Amino acid sequence: MVERAGSGAVAAETSVVPGVGKRRRGWVLAGLAVVLGGVLGFHRLVPNWPGRVGSLLESFLPWGGALVVVLLVVALVRRSAVALVALLLPVGVWVDTFGGLLLPGEEGGGRELVVVQHNVSDENRDPAGTARALADSGADLVALEELVDPQLAAYEKALAADYPHHVVRGTVGLWSKHPLSGEQVVDIKPRSIEEGWSRGLRAVVRSPYGDVAAYVAHLPSVRVGVGGLASQRRDESAALLGRAIADESVEPVILLGDLNGVVEDRGLRPLTSQLAFAESGFAFSFPAAFPLARIDQVMARSATVGHIRTLPATGSDHLPVAARVALE
């Protein structure tokens, strides 16, 4: 009899507060929403060690919006009012940070250049087809990376009719509808890389609107492993490129390149601190099969980079990106 009474007492006790579990789960969801909002809004405060965790987080920061959606669905299923209210924080931060990229962008004006940036891949099996697709964009400038023999000859032949002016230095090149001058190598080689590595160039474009300094760069690759993000070489190369652009005397400046990083990544601060980037458009460019991030960039100084978009896939593991650059 005593055991039965005890069992009944326990049952009665648990039935007194039937909503405690749901409320607790609601507060957990609310806490996760606040943490997510804090990470989105204050990602610069996340330390970059160990494993450059800050840069790794920033590489996928726009996808925080997907986490917001997941939390929203769970909160609706749980019918948690407190979680729904807390979700207003990450929603507001995400919209403030990335909402502008959803806008279509303004119509192009008169003083502008259309530019295309593409890492064509050194394993591209159809360089001629890739070149024809890029020429069909009608861009004024086409910047290419991973140019290797024998594919280089195919690009030069296929682009010659539409782009009579071009320069290649190392494995990067620039094709232009307008005359070029002042072509030179830009040394962005990290100290730990052996001789023979050349991935930067600079040329002056004699555009209809005046001279424009154009830079093409391919920063070292980064790798994600158990130790985090290996980006030391990329960061060092970005710093060298940033110094070269800071010393540039010709204005405006346009930078086109595979920078192996997103504009939110603090490793690219030597560039993003002095150059403007796209005002609208996500244009995730890598990997081409399922793009997760835009590591192919168009940046400018004394000019405005308008809407950036991806072009159809080529034989590369990157998607080409195109943008309109309005000159000041």
Side-chain angles (χ1 to χ4, degrees):
M1 294 294 292
V2 174
E3 291 180 359
R4 289 177 183 173
S7 299
V10 171
E13 183 177 333
T14 57
S15 65
V16 171
V17 283
V20 168
K22 287 186 177 180
R23 287 198 295 271
R24 184 177 296 119
R25 287 192 293 268
W27 281 105
V28 170
L29 287 173
L32 291 174
V34 171
V35 170
L36 179 57
V39 170
L40 289 173
F42 300 98
H43 57 91
R44 293 291 184 196
L45 299 181
V46 177
N48 217 20
W49 51 268
R52 282 174 160 72
V53 64
S55 284
L56 181 60
L57 168 67
E58 289 159 349
S59 297
F60 301 99
L61 205 60
W63 290 99
L67 297 179
V68 173
V69 173
V70 171
L71 290 178
L72 175 61
V73 171
V74 176
L76 290 173
V77 171
R78 298 292 186 185
R79 298 180 181 179
S80 172
V82 65
L84 290 172
V85 172
L87 277 167
L88 293 175
L89 174 61
V91 168
V93 174
W94 191 93
V95 170
D96 180 66
T97 305
F98 300 108
L101 297 177
L102 297 172
L103 300 176
E106 298 180 0
E107 292 294 328
R111 290 174 50 83
E112 69 173 20
L113 297 175
V114 178
V115 301
V116 165
Q117 148 61 28
H118 191 27
N119 179 326
V120 294
S121 174
D122 56 7
E123 297 180 352
N124 194 321
R125 296 183 178 180
D126 185 19
T130 296
R132 287 192 297 269
L134 298 177
D136 288 343
S137 70
D140 295 280
L141 303 176
V142 175
L144 304 181
E145 298 83 44
E146 294 199 8
L147 295 169
V148 295
D149 291 327
Q151 292 98 320
L152 174 57
Y155 289 111
E156 291 177 325
K157 181 179 179 180
L159 292 171
D162 294 287
Y163 298 93
H165 313 281
H166 84 282
V167 54
V168 175
R169 294 290 185 271
T171 58
V172 299
L174 177 67
W175 275 257
S176 173
K177 290 186 175 181
H178 314 296
L180 300 175
S181 65
E183 302 94 335
Q184 64 187 69
V185 170
V186 178
D187 184 7
I188 58 172
K189 183 177 69 67
R191 287 166 293 181
S192 60
I193 294 181
E194 297 178 358
E195 295 295 329
W197 189 96
S198 179
R199 292 188 180 183
L201 71 80
R202 176 259 192 195
V204 175
V205 180
R206 306 291 186 186
S207 84
Y209 318 110
D211 289 353
V212 176
Y215 284 75
V216 182
H218 183 190
L219 301 189
S221 300
V222 299
R223 295 288 184 268
V224 180
V226 293
L229 188 72
S231 65
Q232 296 92 329
R233 287 179 171 178
R234 191 277 314 271
D235 296 350
E236 183 182 350
S237 190
L240 293 171
L241 180 57
R243 289 180 202 141
I245 292 175
D247 292 338
E248 178 59 59
S249 59
V250 176
E251 299 286 344
V253 174
I254 299 176
L255 168 63
L256 304 153
D258 173 4
L259 303 187
N260 272 302
V262 301
V263 294
E264 292 81 20
D265 188 334
R266 68 192 67 182
L268 297 186
R269 283 289 295 166
L271 302 171
T272 55
S273 62
Q274 58 177 318
L275 299 172
F277 38 88
E279 298 179 336
S280 66
F282 280 98
F284 292 158
S285 63
F286 183 83
F290 189 78
L292 294 172
R294 186 178 80 240
I295 62 175
D296 295 275
Q297 305 293 352
V298 178
M299 301 183 184
R301 187 172 69 207
S302 300
T304 301
V305 182
H307 183 77
I308 190 168
R309 69 189 191 281
T310 56
L311 299 178
T314 67
S316 172
D317 55 345
H318 291 240
L319 293 177
V321 298
R324 294 181 177 274
V325 181
L327 307 178
E328 296 180 359

